[in-house]
């Protein structure tokens, strides 16, 4: 088969590799119908994720059709159309038992990280992929839900919902600010309405992204390029600060923005992946009764989100900005890597 293989910082190729095979009885093999690229794949390609070594097939998102199941798999069968979750869940370790498969302790050399595909083992940017612990890691797709509506459920939709909206404890009537209107921030905006947010304020430096946010549930948009962003947001809350500030960028400056925007009793929900230490103004925050949350997505809400997609209550197909086929995956990387110029959000790459 062919796959997108990482060959060290800055090096990747769409090349012929051996077909994956069942290794453990709980594995299945999936023929990938649609996959996509995540910002994390760009970080890997820069060499920022050292556990990803030369020869690894990238990708942790996708929709596919099962071609083969291991002998311990009874709830899935060849021919099933499935969502491949970015988190692999054994279902029986202590973290899986407490609904935190982000820290699944099952093997594959991961030391407590449930994100294994395209990280510790070969991933989904390939014609076929081996999915371990398949019964806990795949979701059958109901007929009528398209690949484009479903693939955002692999990662971005549960991430924005679980780590942004749910960790942020959004309640009816809340004013929610989302810093960063990339796919993950937009996913938080799309799902904040589920808990009854009264206002959803999208904040980004990129005018195209803030404008796009209006189609994902944002009621107000703020460009944070100038000086006025803080006053603009505070004016929407009678000067008090927002109830929930969701950080969906992953930079020290944007985390600080979230702590500046949150009001007394509010929550800062950090979603961004940080590579540098961040200043925490605890001297200002303690007296405001502010809670700060962090997290790696567990994707335990995917079945619930899928029901909302099947009913047309959520429309994640809106994330698809560009379409490619597998043999043009390098063009897909180029387009996705220049998001500000190309206005890309999620690229759908199909067989
Ligand atoms: P992205 O790069 O597409 O989007 C980030 C957005 O932030 C861009 O629109 C950019 O213009 C904006 N931005 C940059 N600097 C800014 C600033 N100073 N002020 C306001 N906006 C600014 O990224 P994404 O794919 O949407 O992911 C967002 C973050 O979520 C990343 O850090 C990613 O690694 C992380 N993530 C976390 C998890 C998790 O489980 N916690 C899972 C997936 C992704
Ligand atoms: Zn587990």
């Amino acid at each position: 088969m062919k796959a997108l293989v990482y060959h060290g910082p800055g090096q990747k190729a769409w090349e012929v590799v051996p077909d994956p095979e069942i290794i453990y009885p709980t594995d299945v093999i999936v023929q990938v119908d649609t996959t996509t690229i995540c910002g994390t794949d760009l970080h890997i390609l820069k060499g920022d994720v050292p556990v990803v070594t030369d020869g690894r097939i990238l990708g942790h998102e996708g929709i596919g059709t099962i071609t083969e199941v291991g002998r311990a798999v009874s709830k899935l069968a060849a021919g099933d159309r499935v969502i491949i979750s970015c988190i692999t869940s054994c279902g029986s370790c202590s973290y899986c038992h407490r609904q935190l498969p982000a820290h699944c302790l099952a093997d594959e050399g991961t030391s407590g990280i449930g994100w294994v595909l395209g990280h510790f083992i070969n991933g989904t940017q390939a014609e076929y992929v081996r999915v371990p612990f398949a019964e806990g890691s795949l979701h059958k797709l109901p007929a009528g839900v398209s690949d484009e509506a479903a693939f955002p459920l692999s990662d971005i939709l549960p991430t924005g919902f679980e780590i942004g909206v749910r960790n942020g404890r959004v309640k009816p009537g809340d004013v929610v600010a989302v810093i960063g209107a990339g796919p993950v921030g937009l996913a938080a905006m799309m799902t904040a309405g589920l808990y009854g947010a009264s206002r959803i304020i999208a904040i980004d430096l990129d005018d195209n992204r803030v404008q796009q946010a209006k189609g994902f549930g944002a009621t107000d948009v703020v460009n944070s390029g100038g000086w006025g962003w803080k006053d603009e947001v505070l004016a929407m809350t009678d000067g008090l600060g927002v109830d929930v500030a969701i950080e969906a960028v992953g930079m020290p400056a944007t985390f600080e923005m979230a702590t500046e925007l949150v009001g007394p009793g509010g929550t800062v929900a950090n979603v961004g992946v940080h590579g540098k230490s961040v200043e925490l103004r605890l001297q200002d925050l303690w007296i405001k009764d502010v809670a700060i949350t962090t997290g790696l997505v567990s994707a335990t809400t995917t079945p619930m989100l899928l029901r909302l997609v099947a009913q047309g209550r959520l429309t994640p197909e809106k994330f698809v900005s560009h379409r490619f086929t597998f043999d043009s995956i390098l063009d897909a990387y180029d387009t996705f890597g220049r998001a500000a110029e190309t206005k890309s959000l999620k690229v759908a790459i199909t067989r």
Side-chain angles (χ1 to χ4, degrees), residues 145-153 156-157 186-187 189-191 194 214-217 305-320 345:
V145 177
S146 69
D147 284 22
E148 291 194 359
F151 83 76
L153 291 163
I156 57 167
L157 211 63
L186 293 172
M189 295 175 212
M190 185 179 260
T191 53
L194 295 174
K214 291 178 185 161
F216 289 81
L305 294 168
L306 179 57
R307 280 200 296 277
L308 294 172
V309 173
Q311 289 303 317
R313 294 275 314 277
L314 291 175
T315 49
E317 56 270 36
K318 283 184 191 161
F319 284 100
V320 178
L345 272 181

Short mmCIF file of all heavy atoms in Angstrom, two decimals, residues 145-153 156-157 186-187 189-191 194 214-217 305-320 345:
data_model
loop_
_atom_site.label_atom_id
_atom_site.label_comp_id
_atom_site.label_asym_id
_atom_site.label_seq_id
_atom_site.Cartn_x
_atom_site.Cartn_y
_atom_site.Cartn_z
N VAL A 145 -24.70 9.46 7.48
CA VAL A 145 -23.70 10.44 7.95
C VAL A 145 -22.51 10.35 7.01
O VAL A 145 -21.88 9.29 6.88
CB VAL A 145 -23.27 10.18 9.41
CG1 VAL A 145 -22.18 11.16 9.82
CG2 VAL A 145 -24.47 10.28 10.34
N SER A 146 -22.21 11.46 6.32
CA SER A 146 -21.14 11.43 5.31
C SER A 146 -19.77 11.42 5.97
O SER A 146 -19.62 11.79 7.14
CB SER A 146 -21.26 12.66 4.41
OG SER A 146 -20.92 13.82 5.17
N ASP A 147 -18.77 11.00 5.20
CA ASP A 147 -17.39 11.04 5.70
C ASP A 147 -17.02 12.45 6.15
O ASP A 147 -16.37 12.64 7.17
CB ASP A 147 -16.39 10.62 4.60
CG ASP A 147 -16.37 9.11 4.36
OD1 ASP A 147 -17.38 8.45 4.71
OD2 ASP A 147 -15.37 8.61 3.82
N GLU A 148 -17.44 13.45 5.37
CA GLU A 148 -17.04 14.82 5.68
C GLU A 148 -17.70 15.33 6.97
O GLU A 148 -17.13 16.16 7.67
CB GLU A 148 -17.37 15.76 4.51
CG GLU A 148 -16.48 15.48 3.32
CD GLU A 148 -16.50 16.57 2.25
OE1 GLU A 148 -17.23 17.58 2.42
OE2 GLU A 148 -15.77 16.42 1.26
N ALA A 149 -18.90 14.82 7.26
CA ALA A 149 -19.55 15.22 8.51
C ALA A 149 -18.93 14.47 9.69
O ALA A 149 -18.96 14.94 10.83
CB ALA A 149 -21.04 14.93 8.45
N ALA A 150 -18.35 13.31 9.41
CA ALA A 150 -17.91 12.43 10.50
C ALA A 150 -16.44 12.59 10.88
O ALA A 150 -16.09 12.43 12.05
CB ALA A 150 -18.19 10.97 10.12
N PHE A 151 -15.57 12.92 9.90
CA PHE A 151 -14.15 12.85 10.29
C PHE A 151 -13.75 13.89 11.33
O PHE A 151 -12.83 13.63 12.12
CB PHE A 151 -13.21 12.81 9.07
CG PHE A 151 -12.88 14.13 8.43
CD1 PHE A 151 -11.96 14.99 9.03
CD2 PHE A 151 -13.45 14.49 7.22
CE1 PHE A 151 -11.65 16.21 8.44
CE2 PHE A 151 -13.13 15.70 6.63
CZ PHE A 151 -12.24 16.57 7.24
N PRO A 152 -14.45 15.06 11.43
CA PRO A 152 -14.08 15.96 12.53
C PRO A 152 -14.33 15.36 13.92
O PRO A 152 -13.84 15.87 14.93
CB PRO A 152 -14.95 17.20 12.28
CG PRO A 152 -15.20 17.19 10.80
CD PRO A 152 -15.38 15.72 10.49
N LEU A 153 -15.08 14.24 13.97
CA LEU A 153 -15.32 13.57 15.26
C LEU A 153 -14.11 12.75 15.71
O LEU A 153 -14.07 12.27 16.84
CB LEU A 153 -16.55 12.66 15.16
CG LEU A 153 -17.87 13.42 15.01
CD1 LEU A 153 -18.96 12.49 14.50
CD2 LEU A 153 -18.28 14.02 16.33
N ILE A 156 -11.02 16.95 16.40
CA ILE A 156 -11.26 18.35 16.75
C ILE A 156 -12.57 18.59 17.48
O ILE A 156 -12.62 19.40 18.41
CB ILE A 156 -11.16 19.29 15.52
CG1 ILE A 156 -12.14 18.88 14.41
CG2 ILE A 156 -9.74 19.39 15.01
CD1 ILE A 156 -12.29 19.96 13.34
N LEU A 157 -13.65 17.90 17.09
CA LEU A 157 -14.93 18.18 17.73
C LEU A 157 -14.93 17.74 19.20
O LEU A 157 -15.27 18.52 20.08
CB LEU A 157 -16.09 17.59 16.93
CG LEU A 157 -17.38 18.39 17.03
CD1 LEU A 157 -17.25 19.79 16.45
CD2 LEU A 157 -18.52 17.68 16.37
N LEU A 186 -12.91 26.69 16.75
CA LEU A 186 -14.22 26.70 16.09
C LEU A 186 -15.08 25.53 16.60
O LEU A 186 -16.30 25.66 16.72
CB LEU A 186 -14.06 26.63 14.57
CG LEU A 186 -13.42 27.86 13.91
CD1 LEU A 186 -13.14 27.58 12.43
CD2 LEU A 186 -14.29 29.11 14.06
N ALA A 187 -14.43 24.40 16.89
CA ALA A 187 -15.18 23.25 17.43
C ALA A 187 -15.72 23.59 18.82
O ALA A 187 -16.85 23.19 19.17
CB ALA A 187 -14.28 22.01 17.49
N MET A 189 -16.55 26.61 19.72
CA MET A 189 -17.68 27.54 19.47
C MET A 189 -18.91 26.76 19.02
O MET A 189 -20.04 27.04 19.44
CB MET A 189 -17.29 28.56 18.39
CG MET A 189 -16.16 29.48 18.82
SD MET A 189 -15.67 30.55 17.44
CE MET A 189 -13.93 30.76 17.78
N MET A 190 -18.70 25.75 18.14
CA MET A 190 -19.82 24.98 17.61
C MET A 190 -20.56 24.23 18.71
O MET A 190 -21.77 24.01 18.63
CB MET A 190 -19.30 23.99 16.55
CG MET A 190 -20.37 23.21 15.83
SD MET A 190 -19.67 22.08 14.59
CE MET A 190 -19.92 23.01 13.10
N THR A 191 -19.83 23.84 19.77
CA THR A 191 -20.44 23.00 20.81
C THR A 191 -20.78 23.79 22.09
O THR A 191 -21.45 23.25 22.98
CB THR A 191 -19.54 21.81 21.16
OG1 THR A 191 -18.22 22.29 21.49
CG2 THR A 191 -19.44 20.83 20.00
N LEU A 194 -24.40 23.99 22.99
CA LEU A 194 -25.08 22.81 23.55
C LEU A 194 -25.39 23.01 25.03
O LEU A 194 -26.34 22.46 25.55
CB LEU A 194 -24.21 21.56 23.38
CG LEU A 194 -23.93 21.10 21.96
CD1 LEU A 194 -22.94 19.93 21.97
CD2 LEU A 194 -25.22 20.70 21.26
N LYS A 214 -18.28 33.24 12.61
CA LYS A 214 -19.72 33.51 12.68
C LYS A 214 -20.54 32.33 12.16
O LYS A 214 -21.67 32.12 12.59
CB LYS A 214 -20.06 34.77 11.86
CG LYS A 214 -19.50 36.03 12.50
CD LYS A 214 -19.83 37.23 11.61
CE LYS A 214 -19.18 38.49 12.16
NZ LYS A 214 -19.10 39.55 11.12
N GLY A 215 -19.96 31.55 11.26
CA GLY A 215 -20.67 30.38 10.76
C GLY A 215 -20.57 29.17 11.68
O GLY A 215 -21.13 28.11 11.40
N PHE A 216 -19.82 29.30 12.78
CA PHE A 216 -19.61 28.18 13.71
C PHE A 216 -20.20 28.49 15.09
O PHE A 216 -19.84 27.86 16.07
CB PHE A 216 -18.12 27.86 13.83
CG PHE A 216 -17.55 27.22 12.59
CD1 PHE A 216 -17.18 27.98 11.50
CD2 PHE A 216 -17.41 25.84 12.51
CE1 PHE A 216 -16.67 27.39 10.35
CE2 PHE A 216 -16.90 25.23 11.37
CZ PHE A 216 -16.53 26.01 10.29
N GLY A 217 -21.08 29.50 15.15
CA GLY A 217 -21.76 29.75 16.43
C GLY A 217 -21.31 30.99 17.15
O GLY A 217 -21.90 31.36 18.18
N LEU A 305 -21.71 13.13 20.42
CA LEU A 305 -21.60 14.12 19.34
C LEU A 305 -22.09 13.52 18.02
O LEU A 305 -22.75 14.20 17.22
CB LEU A 305 -20.14 14.59 19.21
CG LEU A 305 -19.62 15.40 20.43
CD1 LEU A 305 -18.11 15.56 20.35
CD2 LEU A 305 -20.30 16.77 20.52
N LEU A 306 -21.83 12.24 17.82
CA LEU A 306 -22.26 11.57 16.59
C LEU A 306 -23.79 11.54 16.49
O LEU A 306 -24.36 11.73 15.41
CB LEU A 306 -21.67 10.15 16.53
CG LEU A 306 -22.04 9.30 15.32
CD1 LEU A 306 -21.66 9.98 14.01
CD2 LEU A 306 -21.35 7.92 15.40
N ARG A 307 -24.46 11.35 17.64
CA ARG A 307 -25.94 11.38 17.61
C ARG A 307 -26.43 12.75 17.17
O ARG A 307 -27.39 12.87 16.41
CB ARG A 307 -26.51 11.03 19.00
CG ARG A 307 -26.53 9.54 19.28
CD ARG A 307 -27.52 9.19 20.39
NE ARG A 307 -27.14 9.78 21.66
CZ ARG A 307 -26.24 9.27 22.51
NH1 ARG A 307 -25.62 8.14 22.21
NH2 ARG A 307 -25.96 9.88 23.65
N LEU A 308 -25.77 13.80 17.66
CA LEU A 308 -26.19 15.16 17.28
C LEU A 308 -25.91 15.41 15.80
O LEU A 308 -26.69 16.11 15.13
CB LEU A 308 -25.47 16.20 18.15
CG LEU A 308 -25.87 16.15 19.63
CD1 LEU A 308 -24.96 17.07 20.45
CD2 LEU A 308 -27.32 16.58 19.80
N VAL A 309 -24.83 14.85 15.28
CA VAL A 309 -24.52 15.00 13.85
C VAL A 309 -25.58 14.25 13.03
O VAL A 309 -26.11 14.77 12.04
CB VAL A 309 -23.10 14.48 13.53
CG1 VAL A 309 -22.85 14.47 12.03
CG2 VAL A 309 -22.04 15.34 14.24
N ALA A 310 -25.91 13.03 13.46
CA ALA A 310 -26.89 12.23 12.72
C ALA A 310 -28.26 12.91 12.67
O ALA A 310 -29.01 12.75 11.71
CB ALA A 310 -27.00 10.83 13.34
N GLN A 311 -28.56 13.69 13.72
CA GLN A 311 -29.85 14.41 13.77
C GLN A 311 -29.76 15.77 13.11
O GLN A 311 -30.73 16.55 13.15
CB GLN A 311 -30.28 14.61 15.23
CG GLN A 311 -30.73 13.32 15.91
CD GLN A 311 -31.86 12.64 15.20
OE1 GLN A 311 -32.80 13.30 14.76
NE2 GLN A 311 -31.78 11.34 15.01
N GLY A 312 -28.59 16.13 12.59
CA GLY A 312 -28.44 17.44 11.94
C GLY A 312 -28.33 18.59 12.92
O GLY A 312 -28.40 19.76 12.54
N ARG A 313 -28.15 18.27 14.21
CA ARG A 313 -28.02 19.35 15.22
C ARG A 313 -26.63 19.97 15.19
O ARG A 313 -26.43 21.09 15.62
CB ARG A 313 -28.31 18.79 16.63
CG ARG A 313 -29.74 18.33 16.83
CD ARG A 313 -30.66 19.48 17.24
NE ARG A 313 -30.07 20.32 18.29
CZ ARG A 313 -30.10 20.05 19.59
NH1 ARG A 313 -30.72 18.98 20.02
NH2 ARG A 313 -29.56 20.87 20.46
N LEU A 314 -25.64 19.19 14.76
CA LEU A 314 -24.28 19.70 14.55
C LEU A 314 -23.91 19.39 13.11
O LEU A 314 -24.26 18.32 12.61
CB LEU A 314 -23.28 19.01 15.50
CG LEU A 314 -23.38 19.32 16.99
CD1 LEU A 314 -22.40 18.44 17.77
CD2 LEU A 314 -23.09 20.80 17.28
N THR A 315 -23.19 20.32 12.47
CA THR A 315 -22.87 20.14 11.05
C THR A 315 -21.36 20.32 10.83
O THR A 315 -20.92 21.31 10.26
CB THR A 315 -23.66 21.14 10.18
OG1 THR A 315 -23.51 22.45 10.76
CG2 THR A 315 -25.12 20.79 10.12
N PRO A 316 -20.58 19.31 11.26
CA PRO A 316 -19.12 19.46 11.18
C PRO A 316 -18.58 19.43 9.75
O PRO A 316 -17.40 19.76 9.56
CB PRO A 316 -18.57 18.26 11.98
CG PRO A 316 -19.74 17.54 12.52
CD PRO A 316 -20.99 18.07 11.93
N GLU A 317 -19.40 19.09 8.76
CA GLU A 317 -18.91 19.15 7.38
C GLU A 317 -18.49 20.57 7.01
O GLU A 317 -17.72 20.76 6.07
CB GLU A 317 -19.95 18.60 6.38
CG GLU A 317 -21.31 19.27 6.42
CD GLU A 317 -22.29 18.59 7.39
OE1 GLU A 317 -21.85 18.11 8.47
OE2 GLU A 317 -23.50 18.55 7.08
N LYS A 318 -18.95 21.56 7.80
CA LYS A 318 -18.53 22.95 7.57
C LYS A 318 -17.03 23.15 7.71
O LYS A 318 -16.50 24.16 7.25
CB LYS A 318 -19.17 23.86 8.62
CG LYS A 318 -20.60 24.17 8.40
CD LYS A 318 -21.06 25.15 9.47
CE LYS A 318 -22.55 25.30 9.44
NZ LYS A 318 -23.05 25.84 10.69
N PHE A 319 -16.37 22.24 8.41
CA PHE A 319 -14.92 22.41 8.59
C PHE A 319 -14.13 22.17 7.31
O PHE A 319 -12.99 22.58 7.19
CB PHE A 319 -14.39 21.44 9.66
CG PHE A 319 -14.71 21.87 11.06
CD1 PHE A 319 -15.77 21.31 11.75
CD2 PHE A 319 -13.96 22.85 11.69
CE1 PHE A 319 -16.07 21.71 13.05
CE2 PHE A 319 -14.25 23.26 12.97
CZ PHE A 319 -15.31 22.69 13.66
N VAL A 320 -14.74 21.44 6.35
CA VAL A 320 -13.98 21.06 5.15
C VAL A 320 -13.83 22.28 4.24
O VAL A 320 -14.80 22.81 3.71
CB VAL A 320 -14.68 19.91 4.39
CG1 VAL A 320 -13.90 19.58 3.12
CG2 VAL A 320 -14.80 18.69 5.29
N LEU A 345 -9.15 25.24 6.52
CA LEU A 345 -9.53 24.86 7.89
C LEU A 345 -9.20 23.38 8.08
O LEU A 345 -8.27 23.03 8.78
CB LEU A 345 -11.03 25.08 8.09
CG LEU A 345 -11.46 26.46 8.57
CD1 LEU A 345 -12.97 26.50 8.74
CD2 LEU A 345 -10.78 26.82 9.89
#
